[in-house]
Amino acid sequence: MNRTAQTQTETQMNAEKPVASSGGLPGRLRLRSSQLPMHALLWAYVVLVLFPLVWLLLSSFKTNREITVNTWALPKRLDFANYKAAWETAHIGTYALNSLFVTLAACFLTLLLSSATAFALSRMTFKGLSKRVYAFVLLGLIVPPSAVFIPLYQLVTDIHLINTLRSLILVYCTYALPITIFILHAFMQSIPRELEEAGIMDGLEAAGLFARIILPITVPALVTVFILAFIGNWNEYIFSQLFVTSESLRTLPTGMATFNDGYRTNFASLSAAVIISIIPVLAVYMFLQRQIIDGMTAGSVKG
């Protein structure tokens, strides 16, 4: 009897050991043959996306002659003169600082207003009013910017904000609110009500519940909407061209347009200017990529 039990125990232990493949790796680490086409397609897509960026980076270290004679060759040396010319001579530094100020100010104002609005609409009861207000907010998602150019320009002029960075901050914030409220509203609805009840028992009111319970839990979603608003504001061109005419107040997209007109044949400096405009977005995404993924996937699985 004891020998039979020992044999069963050894059989069970051998069955629990991972079976190694011919390559010496556990079976779960092997790449199935059916997955090879998908992996090859993904790698091809990665190369397709990164190639223009790498080519642009290499071109920013070349001279105009090197770009013209042999477009695909590597630069002979790493010369940062193009970056210096783009930053100082073409005023890309001023445009970049203006864009950074407008973008960050609009993003933080958007987060403040949208998080408070989403909290009120998702966690507080107003007997039918919440649904109506929420539906009205979502109407902003279907209004194209081109439909309100004239009335918006007239409004900005009437309140004496034309040719100021404040006009861009307010307009960027207004257009980012609908999608931001939509994302935060869906996230906050998934938060268990028991957390609020515990906070109320501890003596917290609405402001305390929002600041000390709901807002910390909503950080992944806040990071997601921050990066979405940051990219949208950083790359916006039409409103900045419409509301700002002063050279010293131009943002980077409008400044790049004038830079291109003034330096049509200076491809080396233009490449350096484009790389400068890409760096902030890449930096933000690299530092916040984990929070962005968490925010996009939060609430997708319940229980």
Side-chain angles (χ1 to χ4, degrees):
M1 189 70 177
N2 294 335
R3 185 173 183 179
T4 303
Q6 183 178 0
T7 303
Q8 293 178 351
T9 303
E10 292 177 354
T11 303
Q12 183 178 2
M13 293 176 61
N14 293 331
E16 293 177 353
K17 293 181 180 180
V19 179
S21 63
S22 58
L25 294 175
R28 64 177 182 272
L29 297 181
R30 288 182 297 174
L31 185 63
R32 298 177 182 177
S33 58
S34 60
Q35 296 176 333
L36 289 177
M38 180 58 67
H39 279 260
L41 183 63
L42 291 177
W43 276 111
Y45 176 76
V46 170
V47 173
L48 185 65
V49 171
L50 292 182
F51 177 76
L53 182 62
V54 174
W55 177 82
L56 190 66
L57 179 63
L58 295 177
S59 298
S60 66
F61 294 107
K62 297 180 181 180
T63 62
N64 284 321
R65 178 177 177 80
E66 288 178 325
I67 295 176
T68 305
V69 173
N70 195 341
T71 306
W72 309 109
L74 296 175
K76 296 181 179 179
R77 61 190 182 91
L78 297 180
D79 190 0
F80 290 89
N82 294 326
Y83 289 90
K84 183 178 180 180
W87 188 268
E88 297 178 355
T89 307
H91 308 293
I92 292 298
T94 302
Y95 303 150
L97 293 178
N98 290 338
S99 286
L100 188 63
F101 170 73
V102 170
T103 299
L104 291 178
C107 286
F108 284 115
L109 184 60
T110 301
L111 291 182
L112 177 63
L113 297 178
S114 61
S115 59
T117 304
F119 171 76
L121 296 178
S122 62
R123 314 300 296 187
M124 303 174 70
T125 304
F126 295 99
K127 294 183 179 180
L129 183 60
S130 297
K131 293 183 178 180
R132 294 188 180 93
V133 174
Y134 182 61
F136 179 77
V137 170
L138 294 185
L139 287 177
L141 295 174
I142 63 176
V143 178
S146 57
V148 294
F149 280 162
I150 296 177
L152 195 57
Y153 182 85
Q154 186 63 45
L155 176 62
V156 172
T157 304
D158 292 340
I159 60 179
H160 306 290
L161 290 180
I162 198 68
N163 199 29
T164 64
L165 296 180
R166 289 174 294 172
S167 63
L168 297 181
I169 294 173
L170 294 177
V171 171
Y172 291 172
C173 175
T174 302
Y175 268 91
L177 282 177
I179 184 61
T180 306
I181 293 175
F182 173 74
I183 296 175
L184 295 181
H185 182 273
F187 188 93
M188 290 182 181
Q189 276 191 326
S190 65
I191 299 176
R193 292 283 181 180
E194 290 76 9
L195 295 177
E196 285 186 5
E197 295 174 358
I200 293 173
M201 293 182 64
D202 290 339
L204 294 179
E205 297 182 355
L209 292 173
F210 172 69
R212 300 181 61 179
I213 295 181
I214 301 300
L215 207 57
I217 299 176
T218 320
V219 167
L222 291 174
V223 173
T224 301
V225 297
F226 174 83
I227 189 62
L228 292 176
F230 186 93
I231 295 175
N233 297 340
W234 183 265
N235 296 325
E236 200 284 321
Y237 173 80
I238 298 179
F239 286 125
S240 59
Q241 180 73 16
L242 183 65
F243 297 142
V244 176
T245 57
S246 177
E247 181 71 21
S248 61
L249 297 178
R250 290 184 182 273
T251 58
L252 198 54
T254 55
M256 290 287 293
T258 58
F259 178 88
N260 190 23
D261 292 337
Y263 294 83
R264 288 188 301 271
T265 58
N266 195 348
F267 298 108
S269 296
L270 184 60
S271 299
V274 174
I275 291 296
I276 293 175
S277 68
I278 295 174
I279 290 176
V281 176
L282 291 180
V284 170
Y285 185 81
M286 288 176 61
F287 284 108
L288 301 178
Q289 59 179 332
R290 181 179 297 275
Q291 289 80 1
I292 294 171
I293 296 174
D294 292 341
M296 294 297 291
T297 58
S300 59
V301 179
K302 294 185 179 181

